[in-house]
Amino acid sequence: MIAVLKQGTTDQQQENLISWFKDMGLDVHISKGEFHTILGLIGDTTKVDIGLLESLSIIESVKRISEPFKNANRKFHTEDSVIDVNGVKIGAGNFQIIAGPCSVESHDQIIEIAKRVQASGATILRGGAFKPRTSPYDFQGLRGDGIELLLEAKKVTGLPLISEIMAINDLDLFEDVDIIQVGARNMQNFDLLRELGKTDKIILIKRGLANTMKELLMSTEYIMAGGNENVILCERGIRTFETYTRNTLDLSAVPMLHELSHLPVIVDPSHATGLSRLVEPMALAATAAGADGLMIEVHNDPEKALCDGAQSLTPDQFDTVARKVRKIREAIAE
Ligand code: PEP
Ligand code: MN
């Protein structure tokens, strides 16, 4: 349920109303807009007498929210959220390209790639240290050592970092990692999400392989209900009956999630297609569809990559994509 307060409501009146809601066992999410303050009520709102609420002099309107996700709901927070990654902003017109290898493999590999993608306009460096691989016999990532190498790349380039967490026990290792990624396979690892909700880290959550947008937003709710509102959504393709591509990129998720939620939405065309030659057209299409950013896998020697070489761009190819993406951004700017 949301309650829109009238303009001119005093802080004291607002406080009194919030205490009244809290006495009913409800959590209150406050969204201060330019003209109106919206109170989002979370919990069992069946006890709230809508008629009584509407009759209060400070209430402009009251509406029940039918969607089961609340904190991420645009009705709770009408303006786009901006996620600030150490000065690098994502959302509300701020567009960023995240680039880097699927996995951190060595010092020279990550430093070389970091410098190259930065020179081409990437503003955040990606690199997996903990890898959720389908086969336990495949490369599992350099784990803590991989995070150390990412931190060296951050020192050299100044680029903020994103890396995937698989288990909450590893959280301490992510202290200087700027964005924690929850991968597609962990989108419904509810214990992990709940623990991340207790932190103030920026979380990028990827849509699961076979999950609906509603399920993605419900997973987001686990993080946000814990008090952590720093969430970025990521569409990375879903599993369909199609086999030519690794996944099927659901680009309609970009405008749909923007309609449903105030959180930034980025697109990963690398995992969505699995084929490096499809990354450019899908990156351009995602940009045109209004994504707030892209996440693209780049490797200095894709043929020898320990993970996802087939979908990785070379630094030169990435340079071309980044240049064309900027042109699309200019073309759609109003
Ligand atoms: C990744 O980003 O490296 C990754 C494993 O992606 P996803 O969870 O989307 O498969
Ligand atoms: Mn990958």
Side-chain angles (χ1 to χ4, degrees), residues 104 129-130 140-151 170 173-174 177:
V104 182
F130 295 89
Q140 303 287 308
L142 296 180
R143 307 176 73 82
D145 292 343
I147 300 281
E148 284 301 317
L149 295 177
L150 279 170
L151 294 176
D170 298 323
L173 294 170
F174 286 77
V177 173

Side-chain angles (χ1 to χ4, degrees), residues 31-52:
S31 170
K32 245 185 166 38
E34 206 178 323
F35 302 109
H36 288 289
T37 296
I38 298 175
L39 301 184
L41 310 183
I42 303 163
D44 179 8
T45 53
T46 51
K47 289 179 227 133
V48 180
D49 179 341
I50 291 199
L52 175 62

Side-chain angles (χ1 to χ4, degrees), residues 19-94:
S19 327
W20 185 54
F21 290 136
K22 290 203 166 154
D23 288 345
M24 281 189 261
L26 298 169
D27 267 340
V28 183
H29 177 281
I30 307 164
S31 170
K32 245 185 166 38
E34 206 178 323
F35 302 109
H36 288 289
T37 296
I38 298 175
L39 301 184
L41 310 183
I42 303 163
D44 179 8
T45 53
T46 51
K47 289 179 227 133
V48 180
D49 179 341
I50 291 199
L52 175 62
L53 194 52
E54 277 171 340
S55 71
L56 300 180
S57 62
I58 57 170
I59 294 290
E60 172 92 29
S61 62
V62 181
K63 224 188 308 172
R64 285 213 181 268
I65 304 291
S66 48
E67 295 88 0
F69 52 89
K70 311 293 178 194
N71 287 279
N73 202 311
R74 190 173 281 283
K75 289 175 188 151
F76 269 32
H77 190 290
T78 45
E79 283 135 49
D80 288 343
S81 281
V82 179
I83 305 294
D84 192 328
V85 191
N86 276 336
V88 176
K89 294 190 172 122
I90 306 182
N94 300 286

Side-chain angles (χ1 to χ4, degrees), residues 207 233-238 248-251 253 265-268:
R207 182 175 178 183
L233 306 173
C234 178
E235 164 62 36
R236 47 75 76 204
I238 48 174
T248 296
L249 179 54
D250 179 9
L251 272 187
V265 181
I266 74 152
V267 170
D268 170 351

Side-chain angles (χ1 to χ4, degrees), residues 101-103 126 131 206 246 271 297 307-308 311:
C102 179
S103 310
R126 68 152 284 148
K131 296 303 304 176
K206 293 183 118 184
R246 183 175 180 181
H271 292 88
E297 286 190 343
C307 184
D308 287 349
Q311 68 193 33

